[in-house]
């Protein structure tokens, strides 16, 4: 018989994969200059929102179940490494944070699709500008890393997400500075482009949040807001071998 944790895992995986599909569809919409694909993203957002509600309720119920069963499972008397990877209470608490980040990620992609669908940007603008193409490539990579780590239940990419995040942030900042005074764009066109750049950057932020939460869930190490998370996580990997 499936437990609340089984349903929660399944729903989180489904939600994460939907988010990945959304960013891939947006990338495809830009590549093909197809506003109908952007419309598809907006219409599919209800699927993510419905899963977010289900997961929120499941997480709360799972926490209550985990607290009740934690001692029965012997989680108070086992090795710390086992607790990190097997404690249902830790998983349920992490699920709440992951669920929230996935829902917000979906919202940001919808914001991007909504601006793109307005059709104000010049034809071929995204395909002509290398910085925008690179920006899309990095955000797809970040979301893919987060989703793969979640589905495999591993802190697989450790500090590498921060390297890609830094690249994405630099590209987004560079794009803003490049286009803020671009004579090809009127104020409405730039406003839509800026909203897309901001949405892409925030999508990457939420993907990183998920990857960081998976590191904490699997290792107990909190790598948020560290000066050099890449080096710290590399050191942790080395010392564990």
């Amino acid at each position: 018989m499936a437990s609340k944790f089984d349903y929660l895992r399944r729903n989180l995986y489904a939600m994460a994969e939907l988010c990945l599909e959304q960013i891939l569809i947006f990338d495809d919409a830009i590549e093909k200059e197809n506003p109908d694909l952007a419309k598809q993203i907006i219409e599919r957002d209800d699927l993510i929102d419905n899963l977010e509600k289900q997961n929120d309720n499941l997480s709360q119920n799972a926490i209550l179940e985990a607290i009740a069963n934690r001692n029965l499972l012997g989680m108070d008397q086992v090795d710390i490494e086992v607790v990190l990877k097997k404690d249902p209470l830790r998983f349920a608490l992490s699920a709440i944070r992951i669920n929230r980040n996935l829902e917000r990620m979906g919202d940001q992609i919808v914001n991007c699709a909504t601006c793109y669908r307005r059709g104000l940007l010049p034809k071929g603008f995204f395909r002509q500008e290398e910085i925008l193409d690179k920006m899309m490539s990095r955000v797809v990579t970040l979301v893919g890393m987060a989703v793969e780590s979640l589905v495999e239940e591993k802190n697989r990419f450790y500090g590498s997400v921060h390297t890609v995040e830094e690249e994405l942030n630099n590209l987004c900042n560079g794009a803003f500075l490049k286009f803020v005074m671009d004579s090809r764009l009127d104020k409405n066109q730039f406003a839509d482009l800026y909203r897309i750049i901001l949405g892409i950057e925030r999508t990457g932020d939420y993907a990183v949040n998920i990857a960081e939460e998976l590191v904490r869930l699997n290792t107990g190490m909190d790598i948020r807001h560290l000066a050099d998370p890449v080096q710290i996580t590399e050191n942790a990997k080395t010392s564990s071998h």
Side-chain angles (χ1 to χ4, degrees):
M1 181 178 175
S3 70
K4 292 181 180 66
F5 296 98
D6 294 324
Y7 286 121
L8 182 55
R9 278 191 173 89
R10 194 178 309 150
N11 274 9
L12 280 176
Y13 299 163
M15 193 176 176
E17 286 166 355
L18 276 170
C19 286
L20 178 57
E21 288 171 9
Q22 292 284 75
I23 194 65
L24 289 172
I25 292 171
F26 183 60
D27 189 38
D28 208 23
I30 289 172
E31 181 65 27
K32 296 178 179 177
E33 295 189 336
N34 186 346
D36 288 338
L37 289 175
K39 180 183 178 183
Q40 188 182 131
I41 292 168
I42 298 165
E43 291 172 344
R44 284 162 45 100
D45 190 50
D46 283 346
L47 298 173
I48 294 174
D49 289 343
N50 289 336
L51 282 170
E52 190 270 337
K53 292 178 185 176
Q54 291 178 34
N55 291 344
D56 189 52
N57 291 325
L58 280 169
S59 295
Q60 292 182 46
N61 291 330
I63 286 171
L64 295 174
E65 183 178 300
I67 291 172
N69 294 333
R70 197 170 187 271
N71 289 348
L72 292 177
L73 292 169
M75 300 309 301
D76 56 332
Q77 302 173 13
V78 296
D79 182 87
I80 185 63
E81 185 175 351
V82 177
V83 171
L84 287 173
K85 297 187 178 182
K86 300 297 183 183
D87 188 348
L89 180 57
R90 286 177 59 83
F91 172 75
L93 290 168
S94 284
I96 290 176
R97 291 186 281 263
I98 292 169
N99 187 51
R100 188 176 298 122
N101 279 293
L102 286 170
E103 191 272 334
R104 290 174 178 172
M105 182 192 297
D107 286 345
Q108 292 301 324
I109 300 168
V110 167
N111 291 345
C112 292
T114 301
C115 290
Y116 184 75
R117 188 166 176 258
R118 279 158 55 90
L120 297 183
L121 292 172
K123 273 286 188 184
F125 192 76
F126 266 83
R127 289 189 289 111
Q128 292 166 10
E129 296 293 339
E130 184 180 7
I131 193 169
L132 297 177
D133 184 59
K134 287 182 177 179
M135 197 173 68
M136 285 303 305
S137 172
R138 298 305 184 275
V139 74
V140 168
T141 298
L142 271 179
V143 175
M145 282 179 167
V147 172
E148 188 173 341
S149 293
L150 176 60
V151 172
E152 292 188 0
E153 294 190 15
K154 295 179 179 178
N155 46 296
R156 174 168 179 173
F157 296 101
Y158 253 110
S160 58
V161 292
H162 296 96
T163 301
V164 182
E165 181 193 26
E166 186 176 1
E167 291 176 6
L168 176 62
N169 290 343
N170 289 337
L171 287 166
C172 289
N173 290 337
F176 172 78
L177 293 173
K178 178 175 182 179
F179 299 119
V180 67
M181 300 299 290
D182 194 317
S183 60
R184 294 173 296 171
L185 302 174
D186 63 31
K187 63 181 182 181
N188 291 319
Q189 290 172 318
F190 174 73
D192 274 354
L193 180 60
Y194 174 65
R195 291 187 189 106
I196 291 172
I197 292 170
L198 190 61
I200 288 170
E201 183 178 24
R202 287 179 174 171
T203 296
D205 289 341
Y206 291 129
V208 171
N209 289 348
I210 292 167
E212 289 176 338
E213 184 59 37
L214 290 166
V215 170
R216 178 161 61 176
L217 179 62
N218 283 280
T219 70
M221 182 168 55
D222 190 346
I223 62 172
R224 297 173 300 165
H225 313 305
L226 295 179
D228 191 353
V230 177
Q231 186 59 52
I232 288 170
T233 49
E234 285 299 317
N235 291 344
K237 282 194 291 184
T238 303
S239 62
S240 66
H241 290 325

